Amino acid sequence: MRRSFYLGLVAVALVAAGSVLLALIVRSSELDHFHTQQRDAAQRSAEQAETMAELSVGELATAAAFFQAEDDLTRDEFEAIGESLLRRGALTATAYLEEVDDPERDDYEQRNGFPITQLGLGGPRPADRRPVYYPVTFAVAEEQRKTPAGYDVASDPRRGRYLALARDRGRPAATEVMPLLVGGAGINVYRPIYRDGAPLSTVAERRAALIGFAAGAFRVNDLAAAAISNLPDDAEVQLRSGEEVVVGPEGSLDDAARAPITIADRTWVLVVRDPSRPPIGLPLLIAVFGLSLAALLGALVLIWSRNERMRELQREASQDPLTGLKNRRRFEEDLRREVARSRRDGSTGALMTLDLDNFKQVNDTLGHPVGDRVIEEIAGVLGGRTRESDVLARIGGDEFAIVLPNCDSEEAHRVGETIAGAVRDHVPQPAQVPRITVSVGIAMFGAGIATEIDSLIAEADAAMYAAKANGRDGVRLAGWLGGPREED
Ligand code: GH3
Ligand code: MG
């Protein structure tokens, strides 16, 4: 019983632990799936932003190639190219600035209505070189009367060093995020343009061959907008440059995915956090269901074990510990029930008491343990000679009793003889144990026989003692002792 109880408890613990484990596995796989999706989304978004930037940087290459190939550009040609580059977003602004010799300056100023020194592009034009176009990112006269302001990028130390970097390295350079002249924060990409066919192996050669730059600008907001176009509306997005947040909410986003965005020679990090985490519903349901099942099982195990214990106690209370037969208390209960039933049915039954003959000798000569063993063996013999419906009990030291329902005195006598014969024929172990015999007394009960249980037992005992007195190893019927009993 104890073993089954502990096995039950182990099963309960397994169900509880299993359900919690299953819930955790389901939750972790849901989160894994979610994180993979979030990572893929961040990756896709970064690629999208990169593609947008690459297109623009590519346009710069086109523009650079054009400038490089042309020996010189007229104002009309410049405007046509500039227009096309503006339309395609490769440049944010263009301005054609004629370089004029000093003698022509007045004339130029007169024609254009503003002093060209404002643009920082004065000075004589070298005979062997085409005009140098440094990027002028903004040049417009907002009001007719005002002088237009031009912005010579090379003169700005913050931007100028990226121009120098691009020129010396021979490849596009991206600035850090800075305020753009066209408004908003963003990055500039400068691509160096060298004289066609010039040697470019060393920094010195590249510096000598430089004829200008193609410049592009990306507003970080546009970059972020390109990145988030395929993200859910409620996604939180940051564009980071190192640890600095360039676009998006400050601070770090918990449990977010990161993907690099590389533009020219610089890399930014796109941080994406999708707030629509998978709900905890299913794993919670599994855990609650599993734990409830475990609780139910636990309750069942407890109830079952209590019932088992009760049954065990009942068995112990009605069982003879040596032989496993019914004990005297249980025997009397069963006898009372059988007597009442026989009276109801109008049938008769027999009570048989059996006492081993001279059993004391076995104990005295071979010891109590051997005596015990013999009692057990005889119990086995009696069990083999009784039916399922009979009541067999050990009611004293070497005394047994059998209730035979639905039988008359003749049949009872016959059964008594058979049992006595079986005991006599039994060869007890070990070999030194002498053959055992038994004296049997029988008293009848049931229809027409008014007898209390105690006197019925006393009658059977008396018959049994009569059998002893008659030389033992025999069967006696109670009716033969003191004449027939009174009928009801
Ligand atoms: P009788 O033929 O008159 O019955 O003689 P007996 O020697 O069998 O004597 P009696 O029935 O009066 O005594 C029963 C003996 O059985 C007494 C005791 O030594 C022995 N006995 C009683 N209970 C146990 C038991 O549980 N185990 C063992 N080994 N012996 C028992
Ligand atoms: Mg005896």
Side-chain angles (χ1 to χ4, degrees), residues 388-434:
E388 192 70 21
S389 55
D390 298 342
V391 177
L392 169 61
R394 180 181 175 220
I395 57 173
D398 66 343
E399 197 177 355
F400 298 87
I402 299 172
V403 179
L404 304 169
N406 296 316
C407 80
D408 56 24
S409 53
E410 279 178 28
E411 193 183 344
H413 194 269
R414 214 169 33 246
V415 172
E417 290 287 4
T418 309
I419 287 175
V423 172
R424 188 185 315 119
D425 292 344
H426 175 71
V427 181
Q429 294 298 319
Q432 335 44 315
V433 181

Side-chain angles (χ1 to χ4, degrees), residues 355-356 398 468:
D355 189 288
L356 305 187
D398 66 343
K468 291 246 186 223

Side-chain angles (χ1 to χ4, degrees), residues 166-460:
R167 175 198 62 199
D168 290 351
R169 286 188 183 161
R171 58 172 189 272
T175 64
E176 75 260 38
V177 174
M178 53 177 63
L180 291 181
L181 295 172
V182 290
I187 57 171
N188 289 297
V189 178
Y190 302 123
R191 185 186 179 91
I193 305 169
Y194 302 106
R195 203 167 41 255
D196 206 15
L200 301 173
S201 315
T202 63
V203 171
E205 283 172 350
R206 286 195 283 272
R207 284 183 181 176
L210 185 80
I211 54 174
F213 294 91
F218 305 96
R219 255 191 282 253
V220 281
N221 283 339
D222 293 347
L223 208 60
I228 65 174
S229 61
N230 72 337
L231 291 176
D233 285 348
D234 54 354
E236 291 178 79
V237 178
Q238 280 180 337
L239 189 63
R240 284 174 169 264
S241 170
E243 278 315 298
E244 185 200 350
V245 177
V246 182
V247 177
E250 280 300 323
S252 70
L253 299 180
D254 287 343
D255 207 15
R258 294 168 157 252
I261 298 178
T262 303
I263 298 171
D265 59 345
R266 195 179 274 271
T267 299
W268 283 264
V269 177
L270 183 73
V271 185
V272 173
R273 182 176 186 276
D274 185 347
S276 56
R277 302 214 138 13
I280 188 105
L282 180 63
L284 197 66
L285 200 72
I286 292 173
V288 167
F289 179 76
L291 291 176
S292 310
L293 191 69
L296 188 70
L297 271 179
L300 287 178
V301 166
L302 282 180
I303 291 171
W304 171 82
S305 90
R306 242 182 53 171
N307 287 349
E308 275 297 292
R309 183 71 195 134
M310 295 272 286
R311 269 196 291 275
E312 211 170 90
L313 287 174
Q314 275 169 359
R315 216 168 27 243
E316 280 168 11
S318 59
Q319 200 176 42
D320 168 46
L322 179 64
T323 60
L325 298 181
K326 289 172 180 175
N327 61 14
R328 184 169 194 115
R329 195 182 63 80
R330 178 69 191 273
F331 161 73
E332 285 183 3
E333 276 173 24
D334 287 5
L335 175 63
R336 191 165 286 115
R337 200 185 57 239
E338 284 302 332
V339 168
R341 199 174 58 78
S342 293
R343 282 185 185 153
R344 263 197 324 272
D345 295 354
S347 63
T348 56
L351 163 65
M352 199 181 276
T353 56
L354 311 91
D355 189 288
L356 305 187
D357 298 329
N358 303 315
F359 187 67
K360 236 186 258 159
Q361 278 179 15
V362 176
N363 276 335
D364 293 348
T365 54
L366 301 166
H368 211 266
V370 173
D372 276 359
R373 172 104 183 266
V374 172
I375 289 173
E376 279 182 84
E377 284 181 25
I378 298 301
V381 172
L382 299 182
R385 294 290 163 175
T386 47
R387 291 174 300 187
E388 192 70 21
S389 55
D390 298 342
V391 177
L392 169 61
R394 180 181 175 220
I395 57 173
D398 66 343
E399 197 177 355
F400 298 87
I402 299 172
V403 179
L404 304 169
N406 296 316
C407 80
D408 56 24
S409 53
E410 279 178 28
E411 193 183 344
H413 194 269
R414 214 169 33 246
V415 172
E417 290 287 4
T418 309
I419 287 175
V423 172
R424 188 185 315 119
D425 292 344
H426 175 71
V427 181
Q429 294 298 319
Q432 335 44 315
V433 181
R435 288 294 183 100
I436 303 292
T437 59
V438 66
S439 297
V440 182
I442 299 171
M444 300 303 292
F445 62 82
I449 307 171
T451 314
E452 290 303 315
I453 297 298
D454 291 343
S455 46
L456 180 62
I457 295 172
E459 272 182 33

